[in-house]
Amino acid sequence: MDDLVELERDLTAAVAAAADLEALERLRVAALGKKGTLTERMKTLGALDPDTRKAVGARLNAAKDALADAIAARRTALAEVALEAKLAAERIDVTLAPHPAQAGRIHPVSQVIDEITEIFADMGFAVAEGPDIEEDFYNFTALNMPPEHPARQMHDTFYLPARADGTQMVLRTHTSPVQIRTMLAGPPPHRVICPGRTFRLDSDQTHTPMFHQVEALVIDRAIHMGHLKGAIEHFARTFFEVPRVTMRFRPSYFPFTEPSAEVDIGCDRSGGTIRIGEGSDWLEIMGCGMVHPNVLRACNLDPDEWQGFAFGMGIDRIAMLKYGAPDLRAFFASDLRWLRHYGFSCLDVPTLAQGLSR
Ligand code: PHE
């Protein structure tokens, strides 16, 4: 009997000292398992006389219960320690910047600007920029729209408060002023695209007061409309990632180009979705034309020596077309759910070699 007391003491002490759950389990098996010390002792009961058997049996059962309790208590304690260790090891610093690939999304407008830039960079165009708040001279006058020119009314212009001399700056109504800035900044030849924000007082499903355009300008010797058409056709095919795009040039009017045209691309609207490239429908994608001699003169260029073409295209509209977003206003609502759906991973850098939109 005495050795049983000692055995229980030793076993409980070992249990209390068990370093981890595995060691504890080994101890449990060694004491209470099929061949465990206490189990083996139970097997010896049969050889004892009835009175001793009763007394030793009760003592043995008490020892087993005590040990089982000790094991359970130690298991709880060890599990808590293990959990604490796990929590400490898996601790995240939420103020750390997440990996960029998991973080924000690239807005479709930014993505499309990158795609357009990639396509035109391949044709030798540089990117030029101008200010959002523009002088009337660049936005209108130098573009062959002197004050009182009726075409100024085609633009629902945001004017800034008048300055002391009475003149007013404007939020640029198109990216065409960057044509002027480019031609005044240095001698031709010029080959630039100018993506950026533009502003007109307009708001509905396909118009927002702020929108984006990309301008293209080529100034060189002996430039003609064939160059314009070739560049646009190559752009449309590459941008919409289709082998063929039917195009239609409709005569139009812009004060700063002559002749002027609006460009439609063929599409197919049967079946609920728009397929770009071919079909019986047309989609207007840009205004274009040959740079007007008056514009060249305003930039100190001799129209007999230099010619060029220009076009201006709505970026948001073609982003909607390519990526299937139905409402332009959502582009600028800053709704994160929208951006997660329509946005791009910052690692999806559009390249001609790997595909513009993978
Ligand atoms: N600036 C014109 C517009 O906003 C587009 C355009 C650009 C047309 C260049 C011809 C040449 O509508």
Side-chain angles (χ1 to χ4, degrees):
M1 284 281 260
D2 283 352
D3 69 320
L4 249 184
V5 174
E6 214 171 290
L7 181 60
E8 184 190 327
R9 202 176 49 225
D10 289 352
L11 286 174
T12 16
V15 162
D20 54 35
L21 289 168
E22 274 169 34
L24 185 63
E25 179 60 10
R26 274 197 304 274
L27 281 170
R28 189 189 67 78
V29 172
L32 303 173
K34 256 199 219 148
K35 298 219 162 88
T37 351
L38 290 179
T39 317
E40 292 294 335
R41 287 293 284 264
M42 291 296 267
K43 290 181 192 159
T44 64
L45 286 179
L48 300 176
D49 65 81
D51 284 347
T52 328
R53 183 192 308 152
K54 209 172 161 192
V56 175
R59 188 69 202 84
L60 257 177
N61 276 328
K64 276 173 69 179
D65 288 348
L67 193 65
D69 287 349
I71 289 175
R74 185 64 187 153
R75 180 174 292 136
T76 311
L78 284 175
E80 261 169 40
V81 172
L83 180 63
E84 286 303 324
K86 193 167 180 238
L87 286 177
E90 292 177 359
R91 186 191 161 98
I92 326 172
D93 181 350
V94 292
T95 65
L96 270 180
H99 187 278
Q102 300 160 357
R105 310 299 287 174
I106 303 292
H107 196 284
V109 169
S110 305
Q111 183 79 8
V112 164
I113 290 177
D114 287 350
E115 293 179 13
I116 296 171
T117 306
E118 172 72 7
I119 296 170
F120 280 97
D122 194 52
M123 289 192 266
F125 286 67
V127 172
E129 285 181 312
D132 292 359
I133 301 173
E134 187 54 284
E135 293 291 348
D136 183 287
F137 171 79
Y138 295 102
N139 196 81
F140 293 123
T141 309
L143 286 163
N144 200 26
M145 281 181 275
E148 313 309 329
H149 193 289
R152 286 187 174 217
Q153 266 132 51
M154 285 159 58
H155 301 209
D156 304 291
T157 311
F158 287 107
Y159 286 92
L160 270 75
R163 288 174 289 204
D165 63 358
T167 59
Q168 281 173 286
M169 294 185 89
V170 301
L171 296 186
R172 66 178 177 190
T173 56
H174 49 179
T175 42
S176 302
V178 189
Q179 289 187 31
I180 306 300
R181 290 181 171 274
T182 303
M183 287 186 271
L184 288 177
H190 296 294
R191 213 182 270 200
V192 292
I193 56 162
C194 330
R197 292 193 184 90
T198 47
F199 307 83
R200 288 181 205 178
L201 211 164
D202 213 349
S203 185
D204 60 33
Q205 190 172 341
T206 52
H207 295 90
T208 48
M210 187 281 298
F211 57 107
H212 297 83
Q213 283 193 342
V214 58
E215 194 85 6
L217 174 72
V218 169
I219 302 285
D220 208 330
R221 294 189 165 91
I223 294 292
H224 54 73
M225 265 190 113
H227 297 122
L228 168 64
K229 185 168 182 245
I232 295 174
E233 191 167 350
H234 174 72
F235 163 76
R237 254 189 285 120
T238 318
F239 179 76
F240 289 108
E241 299 172 74
V242 288
R244 228 173 85 80
V245 173
T246 51
M247 294 205 305
R248 183 167 81 169
F249 280 65
R250 273 180 295 110
S252 186
Y253 172 75
F254 300 101
F256 35 91
T257 45
E258 181 58 36
S260 303
E262 273 168 325
V263 181
D264 298 342
I265 53 174
C267 68
D268 178 10
R269 288 182 216 252
S270 60
T273 51
I274 299 189
R275 281 216 320 280
I276 307 285
E278 289 174 80
S280 50
D281 277 321
W282 295 101
L283 261 171
E284 185 191 320
I285 59 161
M286 66 172 75
C288 65
M290 301 306 293
V291 178
H292 196 289
N294 286 351
V295 174
L296 295 168
R297 283 187 203 107
C299 299
N300 312 316
L301 295 177
D302 177 359
D304 290 330
E305 189 179 356
W306 300 103
Q307 301 78 40
F309 69 76
F311 66 75
M313 179 168 61
I315 293 176
D316 319 277
R317 264 177 60 85
I318 62 163
M320 286 170 84
L321 278 176
K322 184 166 178 182
Y323 294 114
D327 191 330
L328 183 58
R329 289 167 296 194
F331 274 61
F332 311 117
S334 301
D335 185 333
L336 268 181
R337 294 164 301 179
W338 185 90
L339 193 57
R340 285 194 191 111
H341 180 77
Y342 287 107
F344 293 81
S345 159
C346 64
L347 301 177
D348 289 343
V349 178
T351 67
L352 289 177
Q354 294 185 36
L356 288 177
S357 53
R358 269 160 291 151

